[in-house]
Amino acid sequence: MKFNTKAIHGGQKNIDPGYNSVMAPIYQTSTYSQSSPGEHKGFEYSRSGNPTRSALEKALASIENGSYGIAFGSGLAAIDAVLKLLKPGDEVICTNDLYGGTYRLFISIFKEFGIKFHFIGLNEAAAVEKHITNKTRLVWVETPTNPMMNIIDVAAVASITSKHDLLLAVDNTFATAYLQQPLDLGADIVMHSATKYLGGHSDLVMGSLVVKDKELADRLYFIQNASGAVPGPQDCFLALRGIKTLHVRVQRHCENGRAIAQFLKQNKHVGAVYWPGFTDHPNHAVASRQMSDYGGMVSFTVKKGTLQSAVDVLEKLKVFTLAESLGGVESLAGLPASMTHASIPKEEREKQGIVDSLIRLSVGIEDIDDLMADLEQALE
Ligand code: P1T
């Protein structure tokens, strides 16, 4: 099956043996009756498994070309589960430009539990090799990165991790499975904040993991059940519904993202524009190879360079909503330094380019003329 068909039908055959409903029903139940202790129809308690969640997990596995999908109560809960594969003393190599909450989880929680993190620039995949020790277990990659839109060559990193028998996890939130398939590029785990493009309508918080390997899947299902950060059935239904239109939404996000990036690049009030579709983006060639288009996320600095100049632009926007998050049908704008990435120390942030005048746009699927006019008036 090709992607557009999988987005709608992947893993959904006989989803409701009871009544043949076309959409997976919302099984709003915490428990399931047993005819005799241990005798049931595959579900005992909804932390361990729920049919609506199961339908979503099958859809997730299908769109990522994996074998097993595992859904969580948030993107961070999904990342938390991956880190729980490790033990004190283990080491992780990760991109130095990460979603602020991921950084906070690594530094404020798992570092305290004795896991060591090496944050490195991964524009050159070979840099990974220099930081591998006999304690390294996991390489964590976000691509495109949030919010600087750096691109990491997943296949090149995978060739190193497989040689050293390390796990490679890729946060595919910005690209989505429609534009990029990390498992096909050699990653072991693909992770999503399903809150974003997968849900697609800014109406749920959820995370997901997809893997190919049965043993790894069993361990992650164990952690999902043992730690218990599972999403409810209503949210699973919404995510499943979102996935069915992922391909058409992301096409329009890409189209509008391209137009906005080009518009910003020629606007006299704008400094730098970060979007991997530009031929002068440092890893444009890698983006063109591993992604089928460049996505709907665009970051830029206001030329004046001050915090106030960025705040002025954000306050004047009328169609773009000033808000955290991304990937919904509506356009959002944010100030990473004080919103999504405030938990990263200022000095560290600025090294990555997350300056006070940096604005991040999640370009939605409204009419492009209205989006451009909105940015134009705000920048003027
Ligand atoms: O918010 P949550 O569903 O827990 O997902 C965390 C997360 C993980 N990875 C990436 C790349 C993300 O962007 C996020 C969440 N990001 C935002 C809320 C944001 O506005 O950037």
Side-chain angles (χ1 to χ4, degrees), residues 74-76 79 99 102 142 146 171 173-174 191 193 195-196 205-206 324-326 340 360:
S74 71
L76 284 175
I79 303 172
Y99 167 58
T102 308
E142 206 177 278
N146 179 0
D171 183 334
T173 300
F174 269 36
M191 174 264 154
S193 167
T195 315
K196 313 294 165 21
V205 173
M206 193 186 288
E324 302 217 6
S325 203
L326 59 114
T340 50
R360 190 192 71 183

Side-chain angles (χ1 to χ4, degrees), residues 352-368:
Q352 313 318 327
I354 309 174
V355 293
D356 287 347
S357 62
L358 184 82
I359 290 177
R360 190 192 71 183
L361 301 178
S362 170
V363 181
I365 62 171
E366 300 94 336
D367 193 285
I368 188 60

Side-chain angles (χ1 to χ4, degrees), residues 52-53 56-57 60 70-79 173 191-200 203-209 224 229-241 243 325:
T52 318
R53 191 172 91 216
L56 169 67
E57 289 174 333
L60 290 164
I70 308 141
F72 293 87
S74 71
L76 284 175
I79 303 172
T173 300
M191 174 264 154
H192 276 275
S193 167
T195 315
K196 313 294 165 21
Y197 289 100
L198 298 188
D203 52 9
L204 60 93
V205 173
M206 193 186 288
S208 67
L209 301 174
Q224 180 198 38
V230 292
Q234 178 93 28
D235 283 354
C236 290
F237 173 88
L238 286 173
L240 194 52
R241 186 167 75 160
I243 287 172
S325 203

Side-chain angles (χ1 to χ4, degrees), residues 72-289:
F72 293 87
S74 71
L76 284 175
I79 303 172
D80 178 86
V82 175
L83 271 288
K84 284 176 177 160
L85 294 167
L86 308 182
K87 293 190 178 60
D90 287 350
E91 296 186 13
V92 178
I93 299 171
C94 49
T95 32
N96 56 8
D97 173 24
L98 280 176
Y99 167 58
T102 308
Y103 176 89
R104 181 178 56 198
L105 177 66
F106 288 179
I107 290 300
S108 305
I109 309 258
F110 284 101
K111 189 172 161 226
E112 296 292 308
F113 290 164
I115 292 171
K116 186 170 174 186
F117 293 88
H118 299 269
F119 293 92
I120 63 169
L122 273 173
N123 271 345
E124 291 300 329
V128 171
E129 202 126 36
K130 291 190 211 129
H131 293 84
I132 295 175
T133 72
N134 60 2
K135 303 258 177 67
T136 311
R137 296 286 174 269
L138 171 71
V139 176
W140 185 273
V141 162
E142 206 177 278
T143 182
T145 61
N146 179 0
M148 295 310 297
M149 308 303 296
N150 288 312
I151 300 292
I152 287 101
D153 186 338
V154 176
V157 177
S159 71
I160 298 168
T161 52
S162 66
K163 194 167 82 187
H164 293 270
D165 207 16
L166 309 176
L167 281 176
L168 171 60
V170 175
D171 183 334
N172 205 23
T173 300
F174 269 36
T176 81
Y178 178 63
L179 300 179
Q180 173 172 281
Q181 288 84 36
L183 297 180
D184 290 350
L185 297 169
D188 302 290
I189 303 172
V190 58
M191 174 264 154
H192 276 275
S193 167
T195 315
K196 313 294 165 21
Y197 289 100
L198 298 188
H201 297 76
S202 304
D203 52 9
L204 60 93
V205 173
M206 193 186 288
S208 67
L209 301 174
V210 177
V211 304
K212 283 185 169 166
D213 181 71
K214 166 109 177 49
E215 215 176 296
L216 181 57
D218 285 346
R219 185 71 197 147
L220 289 166
Y221 282 125
F222 176 82
I223 294 168
Q224 180 198 38
N225 182 41
S227 289
V230 292
Q234 178 93 28
D235 283 354
C236 290
F237 173 88
L238 286 173
L240 194 52
R241 186 167 75 160
I243 287 172
K244 286 174 193 279
T245 56
L246 180 68
H247 48 303
V248 279
R249 284 185 288 106
V250 175
Q251 274 171 20
R252 184 61 64 85
H253 282 293
C254 290
E255 211 178 281
N256 284 357
R258 175 186 304 270
I260 293 292
Q262 286 165 348
F263 161 81
L264 290 170
K265 203 164 196 183
Q266 52 71 44
N267 186 288
K268 63 178 189 293
H269 302 293
V270 169
V273 185
Y274 302 97
W275 178 67
F278 289 131
T279 51
D280 60 359
H281 181 286
N283 264 347
H284 175 69
V286 178
S288 304
R289 201 164 60 233

